[in-house]
């Protein structure tokens, strides 16, 4: 595919924290007839966009960030949109990630598969250049649902990070169905101490029962509670439900009572 004259002269900025990918994509687009192509790292983005007429920006997002950090998806997209640029996110769509959802919520016109051909990329850029979105209402709502769930999950994880090591040990045993009378001998403490720890866990997690603890932990593993839920997490319950990361040594009877 050869770009039309308006497309060929359109300013395109590639925002990427890895020079190899950013420069390679810029060279490939120039070879396709695109003239005004600039590659920049996120920290130099403001200077680049200030000196160019608003056009299109391709913001690359990847599961494995370059050394030194990951692109601030939402902040980068918001900055570009505020300056009048159209934005698309370029990533591996095989494993949707929360920061991609952030980019969509911040105003990205679409999410492109990094394995697509250059011709497909040009078609998508031409679509965005005309002011159209690359995704329909349902797809955008799915990304928004993922964004909402991720934000909620982060709030819950903050509570979980507030537990002490001993509270995490008790939480693991609560999650696997043990009661205070069984937990005490396993941890070599009194039942009264275990009950005090359980009260502390309930307070920090803002729950009122062992059943609510189970619901709390389950909510960290799977997006739910929305008609537009996106199944994105591949975690499975293990080692304190796959969240806390604690493995409890068997210090006594493992019978549940």
């Amino acid at each position: 595919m050869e770009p039309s004259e308006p497309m060929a002269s359109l300013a395109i900025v590639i925002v990427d924290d890895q020079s190899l990918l950013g420069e390679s994509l810029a060279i490939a687009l120039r070879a396709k007839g695109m003239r005004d192509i600039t590659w920049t790292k996120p920290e130099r983005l403001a200077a680049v966009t200030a000196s160019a007429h608003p056009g299109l920006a391709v913001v690359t997002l990847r599961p494995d960030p370059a050394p030194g950090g990951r692109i601030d998806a939402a902040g980068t997209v918001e900055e570009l949109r505020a300056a009048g640029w159209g934005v698309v996110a370029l990533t591996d769509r095989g494993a949707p990630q929360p920061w991609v959802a952030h980019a969509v919520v911040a105003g990205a016109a679409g999410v492109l598969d990094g394995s697509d051909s250059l011709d497909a990329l040009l078609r998508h850029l031409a679509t965005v250049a005309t002011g159209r979105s690359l995704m329909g209402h349902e797809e955008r709502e799915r990304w928004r649902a993922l964004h909402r769930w991720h934000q909620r999950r982060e709030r819950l994880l903050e509570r979980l990070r507030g537990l002490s090591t001993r509270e995490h040990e008790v939480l693991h045993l609560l999650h696997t169905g043990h009661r205070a009378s069984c937990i005490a001998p396993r941890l070599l403490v009194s039942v009264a101490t275990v009950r005090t720890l359980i009260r502390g866990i309930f307070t920090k997690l803002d729950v009122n029962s062992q059943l609510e603890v189970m619901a709390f932990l389950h909510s960290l593993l799977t997006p739910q509670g929305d008609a537009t839920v996106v199944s994105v997490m591949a975690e499975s319950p293990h080692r304190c439900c796959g969240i806390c990361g604690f493995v409890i040594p068997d210090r006594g009877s493992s019978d549940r009572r």
Side-chain angles (χ1 to χ4, degrees):
M1 173 184 174
E2 293 300 324
S4 63
E5 183 58 30
M7 269 294 294
S9 59
L10 184 69
I12 296 180
V13 170
I14 300 165
V15 186
D16 190 81
D17 56 2
Q18 292 186 6
S19 58
L20 179 61
L21 177 60
E23 291 173 346
S24 298
L25 183 55
I27 290 170
L29 288 174
R30 290 191 191 103
K32 280 289 187 178
M34 308 296 290
R35 303 189 197 114
D36 192 359
I37 308 292
T38 305
W39 163 73
T40 183
K41 289 192 174 184
E43 57 267 26
R44 298 198 299 266
L45 178 60
V48 171
T49 55
S51 61
H53 185 73
L56 297 180
V58 179
V59 179
T60 60
L61 306 170
R62 61 179 61 82
D64 299 315
R70 174 183 297 133
I71 290 178
D72 175 10
T76 300
V77 175
E78 286 173 356
E79 179 182 344
L80 287 161
R81 295 293 295 142
W85 290 72
V87 183
V88 294
L90 182 65
T91 189
D92 175 8
R93 299 195 67 189
Q97 300 292 335
W99 57 90
V100 182
H102 291 180
V104 172
V105 171
V111 183
L112 304 182
D113 189 335
S115 64
D116 277 352
S117 67
L118 279 173
D119 283 345
L121 178 57
L122 281 175
R123 286 195 299 271
H124 294 317
L125 292 179
T127 297
V128 178
T130 63
R132 292 176 291 166
S133 176
L134 295 176
M135 61 178 65
H137 175 74
E138 289 186 3
E139 183 180 0
R140 187 170 293 277
E141 284 302 308
R142 285 195 297 269
W143 284 110
R144 286 174 175 164
L146 173 58
H147 177 66
R148 290 192 296 271
W149 174 77
H150 177 66
Q151 287 187 314
R152 179 176 181 273
R153 185 177 192 264
E154 282 303 305
R155 290 193 295 269
L156 297 180
L157 283 174
E158 279 302 308
R159 297 184 203 169
L160 200 58
R161 295 182 187 112
L163 300 185
S164 67
T165 299
R166 183 60 100 185
E167 286 170 337
H168 272 291
E169 292 178 334
V170 173
L171 177 63
H172 168 82
L173 294 170
L174 288 176
H175 176 256
T176 52
H178 295 81
R179 299 190 179 193
S181 58
C182 180
I183 294 173
R186 288 177 64 93
L187 299 185
L188 304 180
V189 297
S190 69
V191 173
T193 296
V194 172
R195 287 175 176 159
T196 298
L197 289 166
I198 291 173
R199 285 196 296 272
I201 292 169
F202 285 3
T203 298
K204 290 179 181 179
L205 298 188
D206 192 22
V207 299
N208 297 301
S209 67
Q210 189 167 348
L211 183 62
E212 288 187 22
V213 168
M214 300 286 281
F216 178 99
L217 295 174
H218 180 72
S219 71
L220 293 170
L221 296 174
T222 309
Q224 58 184 331
D226 194 303
T228 54
V229 156
V230 187
S231 297
V232 296
M233 302 302 291
E235 295 168 291
S236 59
H238 68 286
R239 298 177 65 197
C240 196
C241 77
I243 297 296
C244 303
F246 283 89
V247 178
I248 310 303
D250 188 358
R251 297 192 180 102
S253 172
S254 61
D255 295 336
R256 299 178 186 181
R257 299 175 185 174

